[in-house]
Amino acid sequence: MKRLTDAHPPGPGRRTYLDGVRAAAPIGVAALVFGVSFGVLARAAGMGRVAPVVMSATTFAGSAQFAVASILGAGGGLVTAIVAAVLLNLRYGPIGLSAATTFSGPWWRRALSAQLIVDESWAIAQQDDGRLDRHLLVGAGLLLLVCWTLGTAIGAFAGDLVADPEALGLDAAFPALFLALLWSQVRERSRLLAALGGAAIALALMPFTGPGVPIVAASLACLVGARKPS
Amino acid sequence: MTAVWISVIVVGLATIAIKAAGPLLLARRTPPPRAQGALEHLAPAVLAALVVTQTLGGSNGGFTLDARIAGLAAATGAILLRLPLLVVITVAAVTAALVRLVG
């Protein structure tokens, strides 16, 4: 298979961490504002001020954190909250597998780098041949981690001052990012099939399962590539 | 220990373990060609699922149809016009915000 790296931002030579930071900057703004709203929501749900910030810095996975805060806030119980969050984050199993050969060095360094994987950093680091650029992933992941944690702290400690991310339309920014990055990935027929399969599986399961499960199941659509070694 | 801190610690440790599993298990091992082929098709499959769930998903599962759809439609136009990523994201957000403002 031909490597089509030229579809990404130009520049001679290899990408740097700074390129990753730059690529993630627009979505970092959205992550910051959503971090604020998580901080506000978590505090209103009785999580206090420090726990939400600790959670953003360690769990670093927006949808799962929102699930925990809203379930605890609604009196839904500890086990329900934990199960919902783990289901939402299960997709990082297959996503982590796809990133496995991207990282190098001793085990603790690979495990630490893997913590910078979130949907957005992983999406930004995609190369058109299905491989990942480590510098883009780490740079983007670091920026998003800072934005998300800082936003949470602002929301938890300074709350109320801040705008509603949905009124700003920021919830539409995330699917737009994913669609734009998907676009450059599906020029090849087998990749297009994987995308259509993933979308179909997600659509079919959404009415019946909790959030999280459709994405994990959709990852199975990658098997269309199993017959086509490159 | 309160339920809040238990959930922060348990969810945190579980997420850290899930994220680290792949890079630790596949360490220095090149997967067989077929598995490699599948992994190289994971991005389009998962990205497409993320587009679907983040555009149509409700916070408690199921579907919620709202201004995000208009945002994504506008983003599609911007992508077809080959506008830069920053513009695509901004167009989506501004469109969704305007639809909510009017609607």
Side-chain angles (χ1 to χ4, degrees), chain B:
Chain B
M1 195 184 287
T2 64
V4 166
W5 280 103
I6 295 174
S7 65
V8 168
I9 291 167
V10 174
V11 170
L13 289 177
T15 306
I16 287 167
I18 293 169
K19 284 185 180 178
L24 290 185
L25 293 177
L26 273 188
R28 295 192 189 85
R29 214 174 299 159
T30 311
R34 280 185 169 219
Q36 186 65 39
L39 285 177
E40 286 173 4
H41 286 72
L42 185 71
V46 171
L47 285 173
L50 284 169
V51 172
V52 169
T53 54
Q54 301 225 0
T55 308
L56 305 174
S59 51
N60 299 313
F63 294 106
T64 300
L65 306 183
D66 62 17
R68 290 173 299 175
I69 299 171
L72 195 74
T76 307
I79 293 168
L80 287 172
L81 292 172
R82 300 175 169 271
L83 297 172
L85 190 56
L86 173 63
V87 179
V88 172
I89 294 170
T90 310
V91 162
V94 169
T95 305
L98 287 177
V99 168
R100 287 200 177 110
L101 196 65
V102 174

Side-chain angles (χ1 to χ4, degrees), chain A:
Chain A
M1 191 197 300
K2 203 171 62 164
R3 280 201 125 190
L4 296 166
T5 41
D6 58 343
H8 280 271
R14 290 162 51 224
R15 250 71 63 77
T16 62
Y17 295 124
L18 197 60
D19 290 325
V21 172
R22 224 174 269 139
I27 208 69
V29 176
L32 182 81
V33 180
F34 266 95
V36 173
S37 75
F38 171 69
V40 171
L41 178 85
R43 199 178 145 195
M47 291 183 72
R49 295 161 192 247
V50 179
V53 180
V54 171
M55 193 179 206
S56 285
T58 52
T59 295
F60 186 30
S63 53
Q65 294 180 229
F66 272 107
V68 168
S70 52
I71 291 170
L72 289 182
L78 179 62
V79 176
T80 316
I82 291 173
V83 169
V86 170
L87 276 180
L88 276 164
N89 282 343
L90 269 187
R91 68 180 182 284
Y92 289 122
I95 284 176
L97 272 180
S98 81
T101 51
T102 309
F103 303 123
S104 54
W107 69 269
W108 55 267
R109 205 174 137 189
R110 291 195 307 274
L112 212 59
S113 309
Q115 301 312 313
L116 294 172
I117 300 174
V118 276
D119 298 327
E120 295 78 12
S121 64
W122 174 75
I124 285 168
Q126 292 296 327
Q127 307 297 293
D128 288 344
D129 64 355
R131 288 165 206 273
L132 290 161
D133 186 289
R134 179 171 57 92
H135 290 92
L136 288 182
L137 196 154
V138 169
L142 278 175
L143 178 78
L144 290 165
L145 177 63
V146 169
C147 290
W148 175 243
T149 308
L150 183 68
T152 306
I154 295 172
F157 286 91
D160 325 319
L161 323 162
V162 208
D164 167 20
E166 298 198 354
L168 298 172
L170 291 174
D171 53 342
F174 294 96
L177 169 77
F178 296 132
L179 184 66
L181 295 167
L182 175 64
W183 210 266
S184 62
Q185 297 245 331
V186 293
R187 293 191 192 115
E188 218 178 310
R189 200 171 145 272
S190 63
R191 292 250 172 81
L192 181 62
L193 270 179
L196 293 175
I201 293 170
L203 268 177
L205 289 182
M206 280 169 74
F208 307 109
T209 67
V213 177
I215 304 172
V216 181
S219 67
L220 291 176
C222 78
L223 294 176
V224 303
R227 291 184 160 275
K228 196 173 162 295
S230 56

